[in-house]
Amino acid sequence: MMRSRYSAFVLKCHQYLIDTHHPDYLNGLSVQILDQENHTHWLALSVNKSSSEQNKGMVEFHAWYRDDDGLDAIHEISDFVKQDGRWCYTQGEQLLPKYPKRNDPCVCQSGKKFKQCCLK
């Protein structure tokens, strides 16, 4: 579910994001709000860990992006529930991003070291 929601953000398939968001947790979020122009250039999704028990799930991830301010990430622990056979996003806890070290592989998955790619 997390990978498909990330892909929907990248492709701007905002209706899918609404459809996979639990209605009790939308808090006014709509396709119109998601359609508002932004200058986010998504780079990659890194799933740090995930777990599920019966009808509840959790995913910790980094969604790496570049915008007018440079490289950044959404680092979140997202909660999901399974309702009527479908997984739905409920809410997430935002955390500070954990940036790779200079010689680690780049977050954009270019195959280069971080210092030779997106750190520049």
Side-chain angles (χ1 to χ4, degrees):
M1 173 58 63
M2 191 66 241
R3 292 187 194 288
S4 68
R5 286 181 54 84
Y6 171 78
S7 295
F9 272 106
V10 172
L11 299 171
K12 299 184 181 190
C13 298
H14 298 143
Q15 186 60 53
Y16 179 79
L17 294 169
I18 298 298
D19 292 344
T20 58
H21 203 119
H22 193 286
D24 293 347
Y25 293 87
L26 278 171
N27 298 320
L29 185 65
S30 67
V31 171
Q32 292 76 21
I33 291 171
L34 292 170
D35 281 344
Q36 292 176 359
E37 187 60 36
N38 67 51
H39 300 286
T40 303
H41 175 71
W42 296 101
L43 298 172
L45 174 69
S46 302
V47 175
N48 303 340
K49 62 182 172 180
S50 64
S51 65
S52 64
E53 281 185 26
Q54 297 177 346
N55 294 328
K56 292 186 179 184
M58 176 280 300
V59 177
E60 180 186 350
F61 69 92
H62 279 81
W64 295 97
Y65 66 91
R66 186 174 298 284
D67 64 11
D68 295 338
D69 296 326
L71 179 70
D72 206 350
I74 296 171
H75 181 197
E76 181 174 303
I77 298 174
S78 296
D79 294 324
F80 294 86
V81 294
K82 194 173 191 179
Q83 183 175 352
D84 300 325
R86 291 182 41 203
W87 285 101
C88 294
Y89 173 81
T90 57
Q91 59 190 355
E93 176 189 352
Q94 298 287 313
L95 305 170
L96 291 174
K98 295 177 184 172
Y99 290 90
K101 295 182 176 137
R102 294 173 39 83
N103 289 319
D104 288 344
C106 191
V107 298
C108 74
Q109 302 169 352
S110 66
K112 296 178 182 178
K113 291 181 179 181
F114 185 54
K115 69 180 178 186
Q116 297 170 330
C117 196
C118 288
L119 181 60
K120 288 183 176 182

